[in-house]
Amino acid sequence: MSFFTLLRKKLTEFKYHYYGLFIIQEVRADRFHSIILQYIERGWELSGDYNEIEDAISQWSCKLRKGTSTLVCEWDENIQGSFIGPERIVCGLGQEFCFTANNAPQ
């Protein structure tokens, strides 16, 4: 692992720890969109560019907000979907939908 790759990894880990963020990664497309739609039905507000999976769009992100809580939803066709947010929100999502929440990207 090169010096710059290691440095970027450590800075990312520090950022997640400092802001108390957790992440769920590699969520398949059908489950990813289903979860977003369920959160919208529960009263979360959507901001940003939410897109169903299309051939023309390989990367996008949006945010779900409720009160002071924010959940960042990111899609990349290479690594699939991910959810990033505060520990209590992401760990709750992980328990509800049987995902593993990590305290930094893997």
Side-chain angles (χ1 to χ4, degrees):
M1 189 177 305
S2 74
F3 172 75
F4 292 109
T5 304
L6 182 61
L7 180 62
R8 183 174 43 233
K9 180 180 177 194
K10 291 297 179 184
L11 287 173
T12 301
E13 289 174 0
F14 175 77
K15 180 183 91 169
Y16 273 72
H17 178 72
Y18 184 80
Y19 290 108
L21 298 175
F22 273 64
I23 186 170
I24 294 174
Q25 296 176 287
E26 298 178 2
V27 181
R28 289 188 340 261
D30 56 336
R31 293 197 67 197
F32 184 71
H33 291 289
S34 172
I35 291 169
I36 291 174
L37 294 175
Q38 286 180 26
Y39 270 67
I40 292 170
E41 289 174 1
R42 294 177 188 171
W44 288 69
E45 295 178 14
L46 181 68
S47 66
D49 295 327
Y50 172 69
N51 297 298
E52 291 287 337
I53 301 302
E54 298 176 10
D55 293 334
I57 302 173
S58 62
Q59 238 180 346
W60 56 265
S61 68
C62 66
K63 292 181 182 179
L64 291 169
R65 291 191 172 116
K66 188 170 188 177
T68 59
S69 300
T70 301
L71 184 63
V72 177
C73 311
E74 295 180 343
W75 176 260
D76 184 323
E77 67 181 18
N78 297 324
I79 58 174
Q80 299 186 351
S82 64
F83 296 100
I84 304 166
E87 178 181 4
R88 63 185 170 79
I89 304 295
V90 174
C91 289
L93 186 150
Q95 287 178 346
E96 181 179 355
F97 296 99
C98 301
F99 291 117
T100 302
N102 298 306
N103 59 358
Q106 301 298 314

